[in-house]
Amino acid sequence: MKKRILLTLMTLGILGFIIYVNLANRFEYNDEFVIGNTPGNIMNNGYFCENGDTIYFANTNDYDKLYSMNLECKDFKRINTMPVSDINCAGRYLYFAGRSNVFKDAEKNSGTIGGVLSSGGIGLYRTDRKGKHEYALYDNTIGNAILSGNYIYYQHYDKQNGLQLYQTKIDQREGSKLFDTKINPAGIDNGHMYFSNTKDNRNIYKMSLLDTSYDLVYEGNTSNTIVFQNKIYFLDLDNNYALTRVNLDGTDPEVIVNDRVLTYNFSIDGDFIYYQIDNQDKSRICQMDLSTMKENILLAGNFCNINVTSNYVFFMEYDSNNVYVIADEASPKLNMFNPPVIK
């Protein structure tokens, strides 16, 4: 009798272990409309990504390796030893572009601020949230990448064709080509991608992520196109890179910043917009209150990679490893973001 009970318990234990292993290893898919990071962060190379109670970020003090911290910028952990950008997170997984320091040095030497290859590097990867079970979705140079649902849209690169827009499922390799031009995929909103078509005079198009059909929305020489709170924002290249917005149907253009803007991003709650102005010795990074349209100069100089979380705004000094952080509030106090290096 005792042997029979012991055998039954062992059998149940083995079955339980098998079920646990199967559940732990079962691939988890996403909700159709989940986004891996904010479009504004991805447009600014996705160095920070908030998900739940965790912020994942590229630690510039440790060669841009992937780290995590809590929402108050404490409790630091190193997730992966690979330099990263374009960090996305959904469900059980992290997705990111691997970088190389050689690539980063070449970027700085090119003299480009916020160019199409200012992120990306040596591949597109997926890991679990602890940085384990690494899987290469594409093992060559990429530009920007953003997760939407169960697909990643990214700028695929090869020597023969340069940058082209690709999509790949989160459990596949490389995927398929959508456009044979260097479209930035950051402008995803409500099942559509809004983008400046570099092969059609940089007019703005809207593409369905369901069937990849697309339509012309706005005629103009544009770049840095994303959607925020039911408005399309872009830089008007024919108007000195002024930050401009239109309705989702392309009507009622309105200039928001009538200056030469290099990059911009929005606070999570939509109260503020942050932007870098390029004006020689008057270059500066600014904050604008979207309810009053009042501008506040945060710091003089050249800055890039403006990334936001629910509590903070991070931006980097061009051609250095200096990262600044401010609270996402009116007249914020400026601080250096100086995370530890963890071995």
Side-chain angles (χ1 to χ4, degrees), residues 5-283:
I5 294 173
L6 181 60
L7 181 60
T8 301
L9 291 174
M10 289 178 62
T11 303
L12 290 174
I14 292 170
L15 286 174
F17 178 74
I18 292 173
I19 292 171
Y20 168 79
V21 170
N22 286 335
L23 288 175
N25 293 328
R26 186 176 63 183
F27 194 84
E28 182 180 299
Y29 293 93
N30 300 317
D31 177 79
E32 180 181 0
F33 292 108
V34 71
I35 299 293
N37 201 340
T38 70
N41 281 357
I42 294 298
M43 185 174 67
N44 283 273
N45 302 321
Y47 283 102
F48 291 79
C49 177
E50 179 179 332
N51 189 277
D53 58 0
T54 304
I55 298 170
Y56 300 94
F57 68 99
N59 188 349
T60 57
N61 288 341
D62 196 13
Y63 305 100
D64 293 342
K65 292 174 184 176
L66 181 58
Y67 277 60
S68 71
M69 60 185 174
N70 64 23
L71 300 186
E72 299 304 321
C73 300
K74 299 176 182 178
D75 190 23
F76 295 94
K77 298 175 183 176
R78 191 173 73 175
I79 302 297
N80 196 291
T81 59
M82 183 186 302
V84 301
S85 67
D86 295 85
I87 304 167
N88 287 257
C89 183
R92 290 164 52 185
Y93 306 107
L94 294 166
Y95 307 85
F96 50 85
R99 292 172 60 97
S100 71
N101 292 324
V102 172
F103 186 87
K104 186 175 181 180
D105 290 341
E107 168 206 341
K108 288 185 176 181
N109 292 335
S110 71
T112 301
I113 301 179
V116 293
L117 274 180
S118 58
S119 72
I122 58 174
L124 179 63
Y125 295 89
R126 183 192 74 224
T127 71
D128 65 23
R129 287 183 179 236
K130 294 183 179 180
K132 308 298 184 183
H133 307 292
E134 182 180 294
Y135 180 79
L137 297 163
Y138 180 59
D139 55 6
N140 210 327
T141 302
I142 72 166
N144 287 116
I146 187 168
L147 169 74
S148 177
N150 292 303
Y151 287 89
I152 298 177
Y153 299 86
Y154 71 101
Q155 293 173 312
H156 174 289
Y157 177 83
D158 61 56
K159 290 184 179 180
Q160 181 177 353
N161 300 298
L163 283 174
Q164 299 178 316
L165 181 64
Y166 269 58
Q167 69 171 10
T168 184
K169 288 197 72 173
I170 58 176
D171 59 350
Q172 294 180 347
R173 282 182 59 84
E174 190 162 2
S176 58
K177 181 173 65 177
L178 296 178
F179 287 93
D180 59 355
T181 185
K182 56 184 180 182
I183 289 169
N184 191 316
I188 289 180
D189 179 73
N190 196 28
H192 293 86
M193 181 186 297
Y194 296 79
F195 60 91
S196 300
N197 191 342
T198 55
K199 275 203 168 182
D200 184 30
N201 300 315
R202 292 189 172 272
N203 295 322
I204 295 176
Y205 281 78
K206 170 186 175 181
M207 181 183 73
S208 167
L209 301 184
L210 183 63
D211 60 14
T212 68
S213 61
Y214 56 94
D215 298 295
L216 177 67
V217 174
Y218 179 82
E219 292 188 50
N221 189 12
T222 70
S223 72
N224 295 60
T225 299
I226 59 173
V227 173
F228 187 74
Q229 295 185 339
N230 296 316
K231 295 282 187 178
I232 304 172
Y233 288 79
F234 59 89
L235 303 184
D236 186 344
L237 306 190
D238 288 337
N239 187 27
N240 192 35
Y241 289 70
L243 178 57
T244 307
R245 69 183 177 191
V246 296
N247 294 327
L248 292 179
D249 61 1
T251 59
D252 297 331
E254 176 186 8
V255 174
I256 303 301
V257 180
N258 195 19
D259 232 321
R260 186 179 178 88
V261 175
L262 286 184
T263 190
Y264 63 96
N265 203 348
F266 299 94
S267 61
I268 297 294
D269 58 15
D271 289 344
F272 302 102
I273 184 170
Y274 300 90
Y275 50 93
Q276 170 67 28
I277 290 177
D278 178 28
N279 189 11
Q280 298 180 1
D281 60 345
K282 296 181 181 179
S283 296

